Amino acid sequence: PVDSAYYIISTDCGLIWQTPILMPFPPAFQGISPPAQPSYHTTSLYAMFDNSDNLHIADAVNPVLYDTLPVVLPAEIRHYCSTNNPIWSLVRHANTDTVIAGGGQSYIWAYCPTIVQQSPTGYLYAV
């Protein structure tokens, strides 16, 4: 479906892969007018396992906007973890009001996020 992504895990260095797992889009861009469907950029997903073997994914979510030329895309960096409740958390929302930089038309404000865990505190950091 167009409203989701999948990830797949191997526990034996890639010899055998488990069944793909559905990762639905986050509840991004609440209150944007016109309403926007979330979309992932090609460099927007970064995964890591924490000290307890929980999968964490940092992603940059961009909206699909139609009939809004020139397009200046807002973006959100989100954190996904299936063991959290809720499974999605907002790291940062960026748009032309929150970013002081020139980007031009069709510019993506957030892409290629990374998430790491600090040892021994266990804190997660997303950039």
Side-chain angles (χ1 to χ4, degrees), residues 57-68:
I57 299 175
D59 66 76
V61 185
N62 299 288
V64 176
L65 299 173
Y66 300 100
D67 300 327
T68 56

Side-chain angles (χ1 to χ4, degrees), residues 2-17:
V2 297
D3 60 349
S4 59
Y6 293 86
Y7 62 90
I8 190 168
I9 295 175
S10 173
T11 58
D12 58 5
C13 298
L15 295 175
I16 298 173
W17 291 90

Side-chain angles (χ1 to χ4, degrees), residues 5-90:
Y6 293 86
Y7 62 90
I8 190 168
I9 295 175
S10 173
T11 58
D12 58 5
C13 298
L15 295 175
I16 298 173
W17 291 90
Q18 298 176 5
T19 303
I21 299 168
L22 175 67
M23 184 179 76
F25 277 123
F29 309 111
Q30 302 296 313
I32 285 185
S33 182
Q37 170 77 25
S39 175
Y40 294 119
H41 187 265
T42 57
T43 61
S44 67
L45 299 171
Y46 181 88
M48 57 86 63
F49 286 94
D50 67 15
N51 295 340
S52 300
D53 285 335
N54 295 311
L55 177 66
H56 296 266
I57 299 175
D59 66 76
V61 185
N62 299 288
V64 176
L65 299 173
Y66 300 100
D67 300 327
T68 56
L69 296 175
V71 178
V72 178
L73 296 177
E76 292 183 358
I77 296 177
R78 293 274 179 162
H79 168 239
Y80 170 87
C81 182
S82 65
T83 59
N84 288 351
N85 186 15
I87 61 173
W88 286 105
S89 60
L90 175 65

